[in-house]
């Protein structure tokens, strides 16, 4: 699933050819994004409440994903769209501010508690400063990754203060065209930084793969319902959010 803050509907933007491979999508509408995040938090709560009984473990990664309990990935692109602070006393501004504050709380829940039950959140922004991605979310993400940056400050925002001590690994050194597709990665529990190169995949190939695998797309909440029914258990219902095309 994806929330793309630079478009209004799924037929626009970078994910237009990929949306059939997603069980849900929203654009820059804050109400729709809020409903989507609530939906996924509800799934997280249900998985957390049932994982021991259903899978026999408290961490899904002890077994790995399965068709009945799939890895669920939430991509939040142009993340600042959903978290920015609105300042003003008029009713509209207050409503927008309340939505973005709740969005931040919901995503914090997913980042902190979702990994062990198979929910992965990927936050994307051109500059991951605290006003784009709140620090209480950014600082609990276990992996930081940055493509080329123009300033050390931007590198620090993406990778942490320690990148100042590794100037040769800094993404500010990736400005040359030879480094297109190269990023610097920071991982918890591992000293220093690692450079990775991401292979180029054309839009045509990405669309072809998404179309060829679209039959695998399923709402994980419905899969959980089926799994619980098979096991003779019940859990609270999710409120579905329609796919916005």
């Amino acid at each position: 699933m994806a929330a793309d803050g630079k478009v209004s509907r799924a037929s626009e933007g970078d994910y237009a050819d990929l949306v059939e491979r997603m069980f849900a999508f929203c654009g820059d509408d804050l109400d729709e994004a809020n409903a989507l995040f609530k939906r996924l938090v509800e799934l997280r709560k249900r998985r957390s409440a049932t994982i021991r009984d259903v899978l026999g473990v408290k961490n899904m990664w002890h077994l790995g994903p399965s068709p009945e309990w799939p890895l669920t990935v939430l991509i939040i692109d142009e993340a600042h769209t959903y978290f920015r602070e609105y300042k003003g006393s008029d009713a509209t501004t207050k409503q927008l501010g309340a939505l973005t504050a709740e969005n931040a709380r919901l995503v914090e829940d997913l980042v902190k508690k979702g990994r062990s039950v198979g929910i992965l959140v990927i936050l994307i922004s051109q500059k991951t400063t605290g006003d784009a991605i709140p620090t209480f979310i950014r600082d609990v993400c276990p992996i930081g990754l940055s493509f080329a940056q123009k300033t050390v400050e931007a590198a620090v925002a993406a990778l942490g203060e320690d990148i100042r001590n590794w100037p040769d690994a800094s993404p500010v050194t990736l400005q040359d065209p030879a480094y297109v597709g190269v990023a610097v990665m920071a991982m918890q529990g591992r000293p220093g930084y690692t450079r990775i190169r991401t292979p180029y995949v054309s839009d045509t190939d990405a669309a072809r793969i998404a179309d060829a695998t679209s039959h695998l797309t399923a709402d994980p909440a419905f899969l959980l319902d089926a799994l619980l029914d098979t096991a003779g258990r019940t859990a609270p219902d999710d409120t579905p959010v329609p796919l916005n095309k």
Side-chain angles (χ1 to χ4, degrees):
M1 64 194 299
D4 187 355
K6 59 181 177 293
V7 302
S8 296
R9 56 186 62 87
S11 59
E12 305 169 355
D14 296 336
Y15 301 94
D17 295 328
L18 309 178
V19 72
E20 294 302 330
R21 193 61 180 86
M22 303 177 186
F23 70 88
F25 179 95
C26 75
D28 57 5
D29 185 280
L30 293 182
D31 284 304
E32 290 183 8
N34 187 256
L36 194 60
F37 299 153
K38 284 180 178 177
R39 178 182 177 183
L40 202 53
V41 167
E42 182 62 23
L43 173 66
R44 197 280 304 163
K45 290 179 178 178
R46 296 177 66 203
R47 282 188 169 187
S48 295
T50 58
I51 187 170
R52 283 179 178 268
D53 289 340
V54 174
L55 298 184
V57 295
K58 63 180 181 180
N59 189 323
M60 183 214 72
W61 294 104
H62 293 162
L63 300 176
S66 67
E68 297 78 19
W69 195 294
L71 173 64
T72 301
V73 180
L74 169 63
I75 300 170
I76 307 178
D77 203 345
E78 301 293 341
H80 55 274
T81 301
Y82 308 106
F83 305 138
R84 63 168 289 192
E85 292 186 13
Y86 287 87
K87 297 180 180 180
S89 58
D90 61 284
T92 299
T93 302
K94 287 183 177 180
Q95 181 182 16
L96 291 173
L99 278 171
T100 55
E102 187 176 28
N103 286 344
R105 179 183 63 78
L106 293 168
V107 173
E108 180 189 19
D109 177 283
L110 295 171
V111 171
K112 284 184 174 180
K113 304 175 183 178
R115 291 192 299 276
S116 64
V117 295
I119 298 175
L120 174 66
V121 181
I122 300 175
L123 296 132
I124 305 171
S125 183
Q126 292 185 17
K127 191 175 182 181
T128 56
T129 52
D131 56 341
I133 300 176
T135 55
F136 58 82
I137 297 175
R138 188 189 68 193
D139 292 349
V140 295
C141 292
I143 296 175
L145 187 149
S146 176
F147 290 94
Q149 297 285 359
K150 293 183 178 180
T151 66
V152 174
E153 289 70 24
V156 168
L159 300 170
E161 282 288 339
D162 194 41
I163 191 63
R164 297 183 188 274
N165 301 319
W166 301 80
D168 291 341
S170 177
V172 299
T173 65
L174 302 179
Q175 296 293 330
D176 191 275
Y179 293 113
V180 171
V182 175
V184 177
M185 176 181 288
M187 299 180 65
Q188 285 183 350
R190 181 178 298 180
Y193 296 84
T194 302
R195 280 186 178 179
I196 63 169
R197 183 182 292 275
T198 57
Y200 173 73
V201 179
S202 69
D203 291 343
T204 300
D205 284 338
R208 175 180 54 80
I209 295 169
D211 181 66
T213 59
S214 61
H215 65 283
L216 300 174
T217 304
D219 188 330
F222 295 155
L223 296 175
L224 181 58
D225 285 339
L227 188 61
L228 292 172
D229 288 343
T230 300
R233 299 178 176 87
T234 59
D237 292 333
D238 285 332
T239 301
V241 177
L243 183 67
N244 176 15
K245 297 183 181 179

